[in-house]
Structures are given as structure tokens and as C-alpha cells.
Amino acid sequence: MYNIKKVFIFIAVVVLIALIAGSFVGEDLVGRAIIIGLGIDTCEEGVRVTAEIVSPASSGEQIGTFSKTVSADGKSLATAISRIAELTGKEASLGRCLIVIFGQNYYEQRDLSNEIEFLIMSDSFKESSVICCAEGSAEEMFNKGAAMSQGVSLTLSSMFKTQTKQTAIVTNTLLQYTLSQRSLLKTGYMNQVRFIPSNNVNTNEPDKAQGYFDLRNIAIFGENKYMCMLSDAEIRGLALLNADVIGSTFVCTEDDKQLTVTINSKNIGLSLNQDDTVKCKIELMGKVVRTDSGEVEGPLVSQDTKDLSPQVIEDIVKQATEDVNALLEKQREYNFDVVKLHETFRRKNGDSKQLDELATADIKVELNVTFKEK
């Protein structure tokens, strides 16, 4: 009997603790405005912030399905976020923020150092959050909606996570971007998001903009200041030089037939020769696909074991070499480094003031591209 009482008391205590903890959590959530996306634009006061919010206190709203946007102005990012808290009557919670978008009027004209420092130093903000810029206003981007019934933040963050391996688009996170701005040449990149309108109309919401998001453009930043945009060839070159990005495609002709070859794996090597020339070795491996789909593996990948002809392989190497050289030439022109050429010097010679001041145009690169059918 004594043991039964002990068990009963133990269960009662556990249930009581769970109920008390649950009530505190519930009230805590009710008092929070959970921000899943931030847009940053210019305004007369300084910074205009648009927050995409999921609020547990609002009936009918579910994370991943419905959201709303709230915009507020302030002298800084911090004060604008505080204004959002005032407008919603709830504490602004950044711990679940998936994406930060800088509007074009903001990133093209301003130094982003204060905003980046505020985000990366936050105790709750996720370092894995996507950071990007927009063509046009970030506020308008968040209010465009998407072709599917889903919040912009959820749609874009999901796209960024899948694009790297599906369509060979390089993507960036807050942590990766921050590290790039602290590298030897202090240069890095952000994806630029564009909303492409579509002619289809939702009969239930005829006034809502229909369309899709395009992530393909890349903007270059040096010391948190906008430098330039990459062309299509330069973006392809950046993807080829990124070991984590696969899915690059090459269109070739063999026996008057068009072939599309997709890259499913690669090896990238950067080393320094004795004459201080950076040797860049790119080993590409891929297969023929039955259509021009970007799928790396799956039903569209050819199961034919027939070897590609030497002419096709030569054409693939030629196209890849041209794309990589296009990026390297852009780096020399604008003096940025997104492929870690300077890091190659540091690994061999250590840090020095001379290396910090070494212009990309003064770095010689020996490029060697190979392709193997796999």
C-alpha cells in the first residue's frame, strides 16, 4: 500500500508540473509575434522593416500555412522591430526567422554592416537563416504572395534549400555571408530574388498577384557594400567552382542529335604552384538525360551505358572552362574573391599585410577542367 501511495503521489506531481509548465508556455506564445521573415527597405526615417508573422493567438493561423505582414519604420533595424512589437502588442520573436531580404533601394545605396552585425550577434536569431536581396522592394516581395497557398518566407526558404542540388544555383546563409565579409578580401554574395508575374488568376482571390520566384541572379558585396551583379555565364562559373553545388547542365550535339548532360558529382582542388600561380583543378562527372530537365538522378537520367564521344566531352570541357573564366575575369575587374583564391595563399604562406592587399587581378590562375561520364 505504501508503494502504491508513492507511485500515485509521483504521478500527481508530474502531471501538476506538466500542467503548470504548459500554462506558462501557452501564455508565453500568446504574448509573442513569431517572425518567420524580415524585409528591409529604406524610408525617410531610416529603415522600413516588413515582418511576416505567424501569431499563435490568432485563430485559424497555422505555422506553414497562413501568415500576415506588418511594416514599421525606425532609425535602425532594432527600433523598427520594436515598432512592430508596439503595433502588434506582442513581443517580436526572431528565433524562428527563416529569411532576411534586403530591398534594392537599401542594399545598392547603403553599408549593411550595422544590420548584419545586429542579426549575427542576436542571441535568438538563427545563423542558418537565408539572407538575400530583392529586385525592387522587400516589402512588396513579402506582399506578393506565391503561386501556392503558402507564406513567402516558407516558400522561399524551401526553394533555397532545394535549389543547390536540383538546378545548380549557389545559395547563402547568414553565417556564410558574415564569414565571407570577414575573409581576406572581405567579399561574398547574396542571391537576388525576383517575382515573375503569371497570367493565371485565382478565382477566389482575383486581386492577388500570381506568379513564381526566380532566385538565379547573384549580387556581389564587399565589406557589406554592393559591388555588382553576375551575368548568367558568371553564375554558371560560380556554381561549377562550388563543390557543394551539382546539377549543372551542358547542351551538346552528337550525330546531329542534341544531348543534355547533367553533372552529378565533382571534385574541386585549389593549390599554389611555386611561381605563386593558383592551380584550379575541376573534375566533373555526369550523365546524359533524356530531356533538358535539371534532375540529377531519377527516371529522366539515361540508363544507356554508351560512352559519350570525345567531341562531346571536349565540348563540355570547353563550355565549363568558358563559364569559369568568365567568373574569374569578373573577379579581376571588380576585385572580389568568391572562390577562395586568397585563402589558397593563406594556407601556404600564412597571413600578411601584403596578402590582405593583394588584388585579385594580380593572381594568376591555371585552370584545368576534365569530364568523365558517370
Side-chain angles (χ1 to χ4, degrees):
M1 179 68 94
Y2 178 72
N3 289 334
I4 294 175
K5 286 184 177 180
K6 286 178 64 177
V7 171
F8 177 77
I9 293 172
F10 174 77
I11 293 175
V13 170
V14 170
V15 171
L16 182 61
I17 292 174
L19 289 173
I20 294 173
S23 65
F24 277 116
V25 170
E27 290 199 10
D28 185 52
L29 288 175
V30 168
R32 289 176 179 267
I34 300 175
I35 296 175
I36 59 173
L38 278 179
I40 303 173
D41 293 300
T42 58
C43 69
E44 186 174 343
E45 188 172 352
V47 182
R48 183 168 181 81
V49 169
T50 300
E52 183 173 1
I53 295 175
V54 173
S55 177
S58 298
S59 59
E61 288 188 340
Q62 301 175 16
I63 295 177
T65 304
F66 299 103
S67 61
K68 59 187 176 185
T69 60
V70 178
S71 297
D73 299 343
K75 291 184 178 181
S76 67
L77 179 58
T79 56
I81 292 176
S82 296
R83 294 267 179 89
I84 288 176
E86 294 172 5
L87 291 172
T88 59
K90 301 177 181 181
E91 179 186 352
S93 175
L94 296 173
R96 295 292 181 268
C97 189
L98 301 171
I99 189 168
V100 178
I101 304 178
F102 287 95
Q104 191 169 3
N105 58 359
Y106 202 93
Y107 74 82
E108 286 189 350
Q109 301 172 17
R110 298 197 182 189
D111 185 326
L112 307 182
S113 297
N114 290 332
E115 289 72 27
I116 299 299
E117 188 73 12
F118 174 83
L119 294 174
I120 200 66
M121 294 301 292
S122 170
D123 292 332
S124 60
F125 204 90
K126 296 192 300 182
E127 295 177 339
S128 59
S129 297
V130 174
I131 183 169
C132 60
C133 54
E135 180 185 69
S137 163
E139 181 178 16
E140 291 180 1
M141 189 67 65
F142 273 112
N143 287 305
K144 286 291 186 184
M148 63 288 290
S149 298
Q150 201 173 37
V152 172
S153 298
L154 295 159
T155 301
L156 285 176
S157 60
S158 176
M159 289 178 66
F160 274 112
K161 290 178 181 178
T162 57
Q163 291 300 310
T164 297
K165 291 188 177 180
Q166 290 187 354
T167 54
I169 294 178
V170 293
T171 61
N172 221 346
T173 64
L174 174 62
L175 178 60
Q176 291 170 335
Y177 173 81
T178 302
L179 291 175
S180 75
Q181 301 305 295
R182 297 174 181 176
S183 62
L184 293 176
L185 207 59
K186 298 181 175 61
T187 54
Y189 69 90
M190 288 188 200
N191 298 77
Q192 187 197 58
V193 180
R194 295 192 300 160
F195 183 81
I196 310 298
S198 175
N199 291 326
N200 61 311
V201 176
N202 185 338
T203 55
N204 294 324
E205 298 179 284
D207 297 329
K208 183 178 179 180
Q210 298 296 311
Y212 57 92
F213 295 109
D214 178 8
L215 316 179
R216 290 174 298 173
N217 288 339
I218 299 288
I220 302 297
F221 290 81
E223 297 185 272
N224 290 309
K225 297 177 183 176
Y226 171 74
M227 298 179 71
C228 63
M229 297 292 297
L230 297 185
S231 68
D232 289 343
E234 293 155 3
I235 292 171
R236 292 195 299 269
L238 178 59
L240 288 168
L241 280 165
N242 192 314
D244 296 327
V245 178
I246 54 178
S248 298
T249 56
F250 299 92
V251 179
C252 308
T253 302
E254 183 179 41
D255 298 330
D256 296 326
K257 294 181 179 179
Q258 189 179 80
L259 299 176
T260 300
V261 179
T262 185
I263 304 302
N264 52 35
S265 62
K266 68 174 74 167
N267 293 316
I268 309 293
L270 293 175
S271 59
L272 196 61
N273 294 335
Q274 290 185 344
D275 63 352
D276 282 346
T277 297
V278 175
K279 185 176 181 179
C280 179
K281 187 176 182 180
I282 305 175
E283 298 176 343
L284 303 175
M285 287 148 276
K287 293 181 180 179
V288 175
V289 294
R290 293 194 181 98
T291 72
D292 58 352
S293 168
E295 283 196 38
V296 178
E297 297 290 352
L300 294 173
V301 176
S302 174
Q303 303 301 316
D304 191 352
T305 57
K306 178 183 177 182
D307 294 335
L308 291 171
S309 68
Q311 290 77 19
V312 170
I313 293 176
E314 182 181 349
D315 189 16
I316 293 172
V317 170
K318 179 176 179 292
Q319 292 182 48
T321 301
E322 289 176 349
D323 290 341
V324 173
N325 276 327
L327 175 65
L328 294 176
E329 183 57 37
K330 190 63 163 279
Q331 288 200 149
R332 298 185 191 101
E333 180 183 356
Y334 284 89
N335 193 33
F336 64 89
D337 182 9
V338 292
V339 297
K340 300 183 178 179
L341 299 180
H342 286 73
E343 190 68 21
T344 306
F345 278 86
R346 188 199 63 77
R347 286 199 302 267
K348 182 177 180 180
N349 301 323
D351 297 326
S352 67
K353 183 178 179 181
Q354 182 180 4
L355 178 56
D356 292 342
E357 297 175 351
L358 177 63
T360 308
D362 295 332
I363 299 178
K364 297 178 182 179
V365 179
E366 178 187 322
L367 181 61
N368 180 22
V369 180
T370 59
F371 174 83
K372 180 169 64 175
E373 193 172 7
K374 182 180 179 181

